[in-house]
Amino acid sequence: MAYSFPEEVLEHVFSFLSSDRDRNAVSLVCKSWYEIERWCRRRVFIGNCYAVSPDIVIRRFPEVRALEMKGKPHFADFNLVPEGWGAYVHPWIRAMSAAYPLLEEIKLKRMVVTDESLELIARSFKNFKVLVLSSCEGFTTDGLASIAANCRNLRELDLRESEVEDLSGHWLSHFPDNCTSLVSLNMSCLGSEVSFSALERLVARCPNLRTLRLNRAVPIEKLPNLLHRAPQLVELGTGAYSAEIRSDIFSNLAEAFSVCKQLKGLSGFWDVVPAFLPAMYSVCSGITSLNLSYATIQSPDLVKLVSQCRNLQRLWVLDYIEDTGLEALAASCKDLQELRVFPSDPFGAEPNVALTEQGLVSVSEGCPKLQSVLYFCRQMSNAALVTIARNRPEMIRFRLCIIEPQAPDYLTLEPLDAGFGAIVENCKELRRLSMSGLLTDKVFEYIGNHAKKLEMLSIAFAGDSDLGLHHVLSGCESLRKLEIRDCPFGDKALLANAAKLETMRSLWMSSCSVSFGACKLLGQKMPRLNVEVIDERGPPDSRPESCPVEKLYVYRTVAGRRADMPGFVWTMDGDKSLTFS
Amino acid sequence: MHNRGGGSGGGVISGGSMSTLSREENNMVMSSEESSSYPDESDLELGLGLSLGGGGGKAKNKQPPPPAATGGSWDQYARILTAKDFPSVVSTKASSSSSSSSSSVTKATNNGSCGTKRTAEPPSSPPGRSAVSQVVGWPPIRTYRMNSLVNHAKSPVTEDFFSTADKCESKNIIMDKSNHGGNVNNNVAKEKRCLKASLFVKVNMDGIPIGRKVDLNAYSCYKALAHALDDMFRPCAAVGTKRSNVEEQVVVAATRQPLKSLDGSSDFVLTYEDKEGDWMLVGDVPWEMFLNSVRRLRIMRTADVNGLGPGTHERNRKQSTGPI
């Protein structure tokens, strides 16, 4: 058979394909396309670091330049995954240091990264450009110093929300004087003060700097120095936004902001003193993204600020904004796409702010482009949810957290099944859903019937029986990630839908009713799944087989069971015996 | 497209329960609730939709396999287990009565002697704090954010221009202590009072490579903390990680005794690293002051305890690299 195009032409055509889905499809056309594609794939995304091994990746894609990878399950964010569970990146770095000398980008989420790994990165990849560590842990500022000192072409260093052992701020001074390549620096999660003069000089010599997210320790009085040296900034994260009220500080700040004509995103705002907020007003009309979720300021000040931002697309804010503030938001910000409202006092027995379901209803009414919501509140009604669903059928992400577990509709005292049912029925494009409140198996029936594009579902303290889980596993065709805690779901639904699990990335179930026996069975029957039992009470076979396991994490993999499990994790293997790693 | 009754997961509901699970949109009542009727346990037969691979042979073909979701072959159906084969693992329907008490959050109907520890069952909570505060990982707020909220409460603010009245009730908080020797405005203190949240710190025990995390705000005094750590680390040592036999014996023997770390009568002592990086003995300062300055904890062998205090952080700093 004659080929229509020479390889180089095909390769050139493939180079326009950036989505993994498209490239995967291309690989399946025929053997030669598979070969051509694999040699020219430059970016690899691995949603679960244990789904595949470094060797397999390297063998198939020999010329990778960018790796993006995720480790721990999402519920690790809420301390549900014990320390030491895994997700170590070092084996990957070691393998890639030999195989991918031209590697440029590493982006990791929820992984354990050590100083040793960072040092190896700094030494191994001469053209290293981008390091993004999102919610990672295990390293110190010494590791950062290695990166700063050795990566001559570093463009991005982003440590968003990582847990870094902060030994000192000295790491920043390790950027050599001839480093001028920085485009993005996010050090907001660090505690220690860096040398301000080193920071200033770094910012001044990097003309392409677009994103600068400072940490809390950078005082507001010094902010103008940085802004004057980087008027081209597009995204700024301030440090602590408070100081003595002095007119010179204010006017310096206002003047500095006015010079930054390209600013689109603002964040930071720890310790806000409201008197300094008007200094920012000159940039507000250009702002599309505003993260005020650490700003403990009251509704009137929030409203004054937010209503200046007519082009706002994304707002993260504390519930101090209250219903009145959200109403004002709905009136001013017609381009709003994403809203996240976080609780200021999640553990208080009584509400401390006047934020109810009404705030969210107002925004759903007033903002025609709203598609992504994360909302913490203390009361909800079916009527409100139905209204929201009907207002915004293009909703893509809907995450509602009613703070009290199993709280019913506060008006009717009924379960919130009908409300969430309306959400899934009306919002046909819904990809992510997190539910809370009192929910019976009925809501899962609605979800299974309607949520055909749902990819990620988070459930807590909900449902009555296995039927609930069965509805979800059998009905949600696009489901990739399912995470469940404290629900009365047990063996039947899980075993009946075992094959479904191979079509998903992962399933997490903790404090449910899945027995050890069922886990073993699942592991035996499904060799392409890793069925991991996490149980800190000791070996599961020291208890009856019918005893429920504490936590279960099931994920598909082509790498077999992992070799780095700690003592409280057991994998259910086909050889019918309990296996430790 | 998929068989309406069965769905893509391969599970098939047989018998009289089919109608309950079929998608008949007309019957979907959105605005009012009607009590759902669930099929009898005995009617529910969930066939295991497992492909036993080519030639796996022994499955009885009970129902026609549903169209495959992923394109894999669904040659066989194995009816391996049914509801009858299991002891009743399905919990009773949740009561729809008021859920103001979080203690009803889960129903463990399994063999009670399993000693299932339900993290969702809260002990009685301190006054002013809801029962929610005792449930692990709920509400789902990231540790990073919660620690920032706590830090909000601790950091001094020089001026306060809040324009609305303070709505917070008086509560037991950390913030009070930062008033000592600071310029903190009382109004600020009262406002920040709302922000007490979890205070998760790492705890490492000598001889055990894997550390833990504890929420210090869940305890009201040193004794409670010591007890909790004792519970946490004694069984942990028994479960353990990869170790040589000898080491294992040493660790298990050592932790068979309660920690009793405060009265110095055991092999281990509880220490903490403070904000300045110094390692101190736990128990020397008032509890609230301890909360304000603790960064992490270490359960240290008594033999290593000499020289605790300022300047010891260099010696004691450990880096965990994890198994490689």
Side-chain angles (χ1 to χ4, degrees):
Chain A
M1 160 170 139
Y3 295 120
S4 330
F5 297 112
E7 274 187 27
E8 298 79 25
V9 174
L10 278 173
E11 202 176 307
H12 183 68
V13 171
F14 294 169
S15 70
F16 292 99
L17 299 174
S18 51
S19 112
D20 279 346
R21 266 211 187 130
D22 292 340
R23 282 190 164 262
N24 291 343
V26 150
S27 304
L28 293 176
V29 167
C30 65
K31 280 204 171 119
S32 75
W33 280 38
Y34 176 91
E35 279 299 308
I36 296 169
E37 193 284 319
R38 78 182 187 90
W39 279 94
C40 68
R41 191 171 310 205
R42 298 281 175 263
R43 316 191 74 89
V44 173
F45 169 75
I46 299 170
N48 172 6
C49 63
Y50 289 121
V52 71
S53 73
D55 291 340
I56 293 174
V57 175
I58 291 169
R59 205 179 330 134
R60 179 168 174 193
F61 301 119
E63 300 277 343
V64 165
R65 301 267 193 276
L67 175 77
E68 186 180 344
M69 191 156 61
K70 299 187 182 181
K72 299 184 202 173
H74 173 237
F75 273 178
D77 285 354
F78 316 127
N79 291 301
L80 290 179
V81 177
E83 292 266 305
W85 175 83
Y88 304 104
V89 79
H90 199 71
W92 290 86
I93 308 294
R94 245 203 347 255
M96 293 193 301
S97 68
Y100 297 150
L102 299 175
L103 191 72
E104 295 177 1
E105 290 185 22
I106 295 176
K107 297 183 182 175
L108 304 174
K109 187 166 187 180
R110 278 187 222 106
M111 295 200 70
V112 176
V113 181
T114 59
D115 285 350
E116 195 182 346
S117 299
L118 293 175
E119 281 152 24
L120 191 53
I121 291 172
R123 280 200 312 270
S124 312
F125 308 117
K126 296 304 164 207
N127 206 21
F128 196 69
K129 297 197 167 103
V130 173
L131 183 64
V132 177
L133 300 176
S134 175
S135 308
C136 294
E137 54 164 357
F139 58 104
T140 78
T141 41
D142 284 354
L144 297 178
S146 301
I147 297 284
N150 295 298
C151 300
R152 306 272 141 178
N153 295 312
L154 195 66
R155 279 204 322 235
E156 277 183 53
L157 179 60
D158 184 338
L159 305 172
R160 54 181 84 158
E161 294 172 346
S162 289
E163 229 179 272
V164 185
E165 192 178 333
D166 205 328
L167 302 172
S168 83
H170 193 60
W171 66 274
L172 188 95
S173 308
H174 284 256
F175 278 107
D177 289 338
N178 60 8
C179 169
T180 58
S181 49
L182 268 186
V183 172
S184 170
L185 177 64
N186 179 354
M187 46 181 242
S188 54
C189 63
L190 298 178
S192 297
E193 206 175 325
V194 298
S195 150
F196 189 79
S197 61
L199 177 60
E200 216 176 354
R201 280 178 283 119
L202 179 63
V203 166
R205 66 177 182 268
C206 294
N208 297 318
L209 193 67
R210 293 274 173 279
T211 299
L212 179 63
R213 301 212 194 270
L214 304 168
N215 64 347
R216 200 170 181 168
V218 176
I220 200 178
E221 302 96 320
K222 301 260 181 76
L223 193 52
N225 301 40
L226 296 173
L227 293 180
H228 279 298
R229 282 166 179 72
Q232 76 282 4
L233 275 182
V234 175
E235 304 199 322
L236 170 71
T238 72
Y241 206 78
S242 67
E244 242 179 283
I245 308 286
R246 273 173 29 203
S247 58
D248 59 331
I249 298 183
F250 183 93
S251 55
N252 288 342
L253 195 58
E255 200 219 327
F257 269 115
S258 68
V259 163
C260 298
K261 307 269 184 231
Q262 324 256 23
L263 267 183
K264 290 224 171 326
L266 288 172
S267 63
F269 299 111
W270 289 281
D271 315 318
V272 178
V273 167
F276 284 113
L277 289 174
M280 291 194 314
Y281 284 177
S282 61
V283 297
C284 284
S285 58
I287 294 295
T288 56
S289 169
L290 188 53
N291 182 352
L292 294 168
S293 61
Y294 299 103
T296 52
I297 49 179
Q298 300 301 298
S299 188
D301 295 310
L302 283 167
V303 167
K304 265 189 252 154
L305 179 58
V306 160
S307 43
Q308 307 259 339
C309 303
R310 302 263 151 186
N311 290 310
L312 202 58
Q313 291 171 14
R314 181 199 306 167
L315 176 66
W316 293 19
V317 73
L318 284 171
D319 57 6
Y320 287 127
I321 194 168
E322 299 191 329
D323 289 344
T324 48
L326 290 175
E327 240 176 81
L329 174 71
S332 324
C333 303
K334 295 303 182 185
D335 276 350
L336 195 71
Q337 293 173 18
E338 177 179 327
L339 174 68
R340 297 197 190 187
V341 178
F342 296 95
S344 53
D345 183 23
F347 302 107
E350 297 299 319
N352 62 322
V353 291
L355 180 105
T356 68
E357 80 283 6
Q358 189 48 49
L360 186 56
V361 171
S362 306
V363 177
S364 76
E365 271 161 7
C367 300
K369 300 191 186 163
L370 188 70
Q371 51 171 226
S372 178
V373 167
L374 170 61
Y375 199 75
F376 284 81
C377 60
R378 287 168 184 270
Q379 67 184 43
M380 186 51 61
S381 66
N382 283 310
L385 285 171
V386 170
T387 305
I388 292 165
R390 289 186 179 151
N391 286 340
R392 300 272 66 87
E394 348 71 26
M395 190 76 70
I396 290 179
R397 278 168 231 105
F398 190 76
R399 295 154 73 186
L400 179 67
C401 179
I402 306 164
I403 290 186
E404 187 67 35
Q406 300 190 321
D409 176 325
Y410 77 100
L411 295 169
T412 65
L413 294 185
E414 287 173 346
L416 290 169
D417 299 338
F420 281 104
I423 295 280
V424 293
E425 198 186 9
N426 286 278
C427 307
K428 303 204 192 303
E429 302 297 316
L430 197 68
R431 292 204 305 255
R432 183 168 181 183
L433 178 65
S434 301
M435 305 191 295
S436 54
L438 183 64
L439 297 164
T440 72
D441 282 350
K442 198 81 185 142
V443 75
F444 299 112
E445 191 183 330
Y446 297 148
I447 291 173
N449 286 343
H450 292 285
K452 294 307 178 185
K453 297 213 176 156
L454 192 67
E455 295 178 7
M456 182 168 178
L457 179 62
S458 309
I459 309 171
F461 307 108
D464 310 309
S465 74
D466 269 51
L467 220 45
L469 180 57
H470 177 75
H471 285 307
V472 170
L473 289 177
S474 57
C476 296
E477 295 161 13
S478 310
L479 197 63
R480 291 191 298 115
K481 290 179 279 183
L482 180 58
E483 46 185 27
I484 302 171
R485 63 162 296 175
D486 293 278
C487 296
F489 299 148
D491 302 339
K492 288 202 305 295
L494 192 60
L495 293 173
N497 293 286
K500 169 73 171 174
L501 300 177
E502 265 188 24
T503 70
M504 293 165 51
R505 180 186 297 173
S506 65
L507 166 70
W508 169 278
M509 292 179 73
S510 57
S511 305
C512 296
S513 311
V514 180
S515 73
F516 174 53
C519 295
K520 280 204 298 190
L521 190 58
L522 190 63
Q524 282 161 20
K525 294 303 168 190
M526 307 295 294
R528 287 184 303 210
L529 294 178
N530 272 359
V531 178
E532 292 185 7
V533 167
I534 301 168
D535 209 315
E536 294 176 282
R537 297 169 296 178
D541 60 359
S542 61
R543 289 179 293 278
E545 277 211 2
S546 56
C547 200
V549 299
E550 269 181 5
K551 299 170 187 179
L552 172 67
Y553 185 50
V554 181
Y555 55 91
R556 66 179 173 190
T557 180
V558 294
R561 60 186 186 84
R562 56 183 176 116
D564 60 359
M565 292 180 294
F568 50 82
V569 178
W570 289 267
T571 193
M572 305 290 108
D573 228 75
D575 62 12
K576 295 196 197 312
S577 62
L578 254 197
T579 41
F580 293 77
S581 62
Chain B
M1 291 301 106
H2 299 280
N3 161 359
R4 292 211 133 208
S8 62
V12 171
I13 311 298
S14 62
S17 50
M18 185 70 104
S19 58
T20 312
L21 295 177
S22 69
R23 280 174 260 126
E24 282 156 286
E25 254 112 48
N26 306 335
N27 292 345
M28 206 71 73
V29 179
M30 287 304 174
S31 52
S32 70
E33 278 298 288
E34 46 185 28
S35 61
S36 326
S37 59
Y38 298 99
D40 243 353
E41 282 311 319
S42 51
D43 284 344
L44 203 56
E45 246 184 34
L46 298 177
L48 282 167
L50 299 171
S51 159
L52 294 184
K58 26 186 197 153
K60 299 169 226 159
N61 231 340
K62 285 223 129 190
Q63 296 92 10
T70 53
S73 69
W74 290 90
D75 309 316
Q76 330 266 6
Y77 243 62
R79 188 187 153 274
I80 295 180
L81 290 162
T82 69
K84 303 186 197 91
D85 297 332
F86 278 99
S88 169
V89 296
V90 175
S91 61
T92 54
K93 192 168 170 190
S95 83
S96 53
S97 59
S98 161
S99 62
S100 54
S101 154
S102 301
S103 57
S104 61
V105 292
T106 53
K107 313 208 173 351
T109 56
N110 266 326
N111 185 353
S113 66
C114 290
T116 307
K117 193 160 78 163
R118 290 302 196 183
T119 53
E121 273 163 8
S124 62
S125 44
R129 297 186 72 195
S130 73
V132 171
S133 60
Q134 304 299 321
V135 178
V136 174
W138 189 268
I141 302 169
R142 307 185 51 191
T143 321
Y144 175 78
R145 180 169 294 282
M146 291 211 293
N147 286 342
S148 292
L149 285 181
V150 173
N151 286 333
H152 272 298
K154 290 191 218 169
S155 67
V157 174
T158 49
E159 309 262 358
D160 169 26
F161 284 86
F162 297 125
S163 46
T164 59
D166 167 29
K167 299 188 185 79
C168 294
E169 296 300 305
S170 153
K171 289 173 193 168
N172 174 30
I173 53 148
I174 302 169
M175 190 58 192
D176 278 336
K177 296 309 161 193
S178 67
N179 278 332
H180 296 323
N183 291 328
V184 183
N185 188 317
N186 271 333
N187 281 344
V188 172
K190 276 192 350 181
E191 197 62 34
K192 304 291 190 207
R193 198 165 285 184
C194 310
L195 301 176
K196 182 172 183 181
S198 302
L199 179 55
F200 277 96
V201 297
K202 289 193 177 171
V203 189
N204 282 85
M205 178 166 174
D206 285 356
I208 298 180
I210 306 298
R212 303 295 301 274
K213 266 189 179 166
V214 283
D215 174 10
L216 292 181
N217 280 346
Y219 310 104
S220 51
C221 64
Y222 287 117
K223 216 172 182 185
L225 174 63
H227 276 305
L229 290 177
D230 190 32
D231 283 344
M232 202 181 278
F233 280 91
R234 213 178 348 155
C236 230
V239 170
T241 55
K242 297 165 276 228
R243 270 197 230 90
S244 71
N245 275 340
V246 172
E247 215 189 320
E248 188 171 3
Q249 282 166 28
V250 167
V251 172
V252 169
T255 55
R256 237 174 234 142
Q257 305 157 30
L259 281 176
K260 283 201 202 120
S261 45
L262 299 181
D263 61 10
S265 64
S266 86
D267 294 335
F268 287 85
V269 192
L270 184 57
T271 64
Y272 72 101
E273 184 186 22
D274 71 4
K275 276 200 287 230
E276 274 96 52
D278 300 322
W279 285 90
M280 321 284 275
L281 270 178
V282 164
D284 283 344
V285 301
W287 175 251
E288 298 288 0
M289 200 181 293
F290 164 68
L291 289 182
N292 229 356
S293 59
V294 62
R295 254 209 243 158
R296 56 181 165 151
L297 299 171
R298 178 176 159 201
I299 302 170
M300 206 183 278
R301 285 187 225 277
T302 321
D304 297 338
V305 155
N306 286 329
L308 272 188
T312 56
H313 70 275
E314 278 304 323
R315 251 190 295 131
N316 291 329
R317 177 165 64 82
K318 284 198 305 195
Q319 262 204 49
S320 69
T321 56
I324 292 178

